[in-house]
Amino acid sequence: MATFWIYDYACSLHEEWIFLLRSHWCKVKGLYIVTRYLPFILLTTSLYLTFTPNGNPGKCRVFYNIDTGLCIVSAIFSECFFILRTYALWNNNKILLAAMASTAFAFLVASFSIAFASTVPAAYATSAIPGITGCYQSSTNFTLFIPFLLLSAFELGLMILTLIRAIQNWRITSSRLYVVLLNHNISYYACGLLFSVTNIFTWLLLQYSYQSMLHIFQFMILAILATRMHLHLWQVNRHSHRSGALVHIPISDMSSVNSTA
C-alpha cells in the first residue's frame, strides 16, 4: 500500500505543484493539503504496527487507537470535498449544508466511540511469520463493521442528492465543468460504497490481518480519489477561463463553485 501511494504521488507531483503554486489560497486548498498528505502519516503508523519489535499490548493499543483515529479523520476530510460539492450543486442551500454537516458529525462521533471502545478488550499477539513481531489482534470485534455501514449510508445519501440535482438540471445545463462535477461525484460514491460493503463483509467473515489491510486501503483510495478529482476539476475550470468558454452552472454564486468544486 505504501508503494502504491508513493507511486501515485510521484505520477501526479508535477500537476499537484502547479495547483499548489498557482491556485488561490482558501479553506478548500487547505483541505486539499491535509487530505493529500494525511495518508503519509497513516501509512507510517500502519507500518509501525506491522513491524514494531517486541510490541507489548499497551503499546499496541495506543498505536492502534492512533491508526484508527487517523483512518476516520482521513475519511471525513475526503467526504468534506463532496459535502461542499453537493452544497454547491444545490445552489448553496444552507439548510442542506447544516443537515449534511450534522449527520456527518453524528456519524463521526459514533464511529470514534465504536472504534475506541473495541480496542479496550482486544487481545494482541505477535505475527505468525518468523522474524516479524508486529501488533496483531488475536480476536475480532464484529462491531467494527458499523462505522463502514454508517459511511456507506452517508455516501448513499449524498449520491441520491447528486442524482436528484442531475435529473432536475440535465436539460438546462450542459457545460463541461458541470458534467465533470457530476461524474466525479457519482464515481466517488460508487467506489466508496463498493469498498464499504467489502469491508463490512470482511469484518464479519475474515480474520484481522485481512480486515486491517482492506480498511486502510479504502481510506487511502478515498483520499486519492478526492484529491485527484479536485485537481482535475481545477484544471478544467482553469482551461475554461483561458479559452473564454462560458460556464453555465445553476449555482447562485459562481465563486463558491470555483473554490469548492
Side-chain angles (χ1 to χ4, degrees), residues 120-150:
V120 175
Y124 293 87
T126 57
S127 173
I129 303 174
I132 297 179
T133 58
C135 297
Y136 296 89
Q137 287 189 8
S138 57
S139 60
T140 300
N141 192 321
F142 295 105
T143 60
L144 285 173
F145 82 92
I146 297 177
F148 295 100
L149 184 63
L150 296 176

Side-chain angles (χ1 to χ4, degrees), residues 16-230:
E16 183 169 323
W17 277 103
I18 291 176
F19 165 72
L20 292 175
L21 294 174
R22 298 185 182 181
S23 62
H24 297 293
W25 279 99
C26 60
K27 294 178 181 179
V28 178
K29 187 173 181 179
L31 177 65
Y32 175 92
I33 294 173
V34 174
T35 306
R36 179 60 169 162
Y37 293 100
L38 185 60
F40 280 111
I41 304 175
L42 173 60
L43 287 173
T44 301
T45 57
S46 297
L47 289 174
Y48 182 83
L49 278 170
T50 304
F51 297 108
T52 180
N54 302 320
N56 59 72
K59 189 176 182 180
C60 287
R61 187 171 291 110
V62 170
F63 279 93
Y64 182 81
N65 283 336
I66 294 174
D67 184 70
T68 302
L70 288 174
C71 285
I72 297 174
V73 171
S74 177
I76 287 297
F77 280 134
S78 299
E79 295 298 319
C80 281
F81 279 101
F82 296 90
I83 291 175
L84 293 173
R85 288 182 176 206
T86 305
Y87 169 63
L89 286 173
W90 282 84
N91 295 331
N92 302 342
N93 189 314
K94 295 188 182 299
I95 297 177
L96 179 63
L97 178 63
M100 292 188 294
S102 59
T103 302
F105 180 76
F107 285 179
L108 176 65
V109 172
S111 298
F112 268 114
S113 301
I114 294 168
F116 289 154
S118 67
T119 62
V120 175
Y124 293 87
T126 57
S127 173
I129 303 174
I132 297 179
T133 58
C135 297
Y136 296 89
Q137 287 189 8
S138 57
S139 60
T140 300
N141 192 321
F142 295 105
T143 60
L144 285 173
F145 82 92
I146 297 177
F148 295 100
L149 184 63
L150 296 176
L151 179 61
S152 61
F154 184 72
E155 290 179 338
L156 182 61
L158 293 181
M159 177 185 281
I160 292 172
L161 289 172
T162 300
L163 288 173
I164 291 173
R165 201 59 177 168
I167 293 172
Q168 289 176 345
N169 298 316
W170 72 276
R171 289 186 176 180
I172 61 176
T173 305
S174 59
S175 72
R176 186 186 176 193
L177 185 63
Y178 187 79
V179 172
V180 168
L181 184 66
L182 291 177
N183 287 338
H184 281 180
N185 285 19
I186 299 301
S187 299
Y188 177 87
Y189 300 144
C191 183
L193 284 170
L194 176 63
F195 273 107
S196 293
V197 171
T198 302
N199 270 299
I200 288 172
F201 285 104
T202 300
W203 279 101
L204 292 174
L205 302 176
L206 300 180
Q207 296 179 348
Y208 172 76
S209 56
Y210 299 102
Q211 299 165 353
S212 176
M213 178 181 66
L214 286 176
H215 88 257
I216 293 174
F217 186 68
Q218 173 178 356
F219 297 129
M220 187 177 66
I221 290 296
L222 292 181
I224 290 175
L225 287 175
T227 51
R228 281 292 193 109
M229 288 176 176
H230 180 76

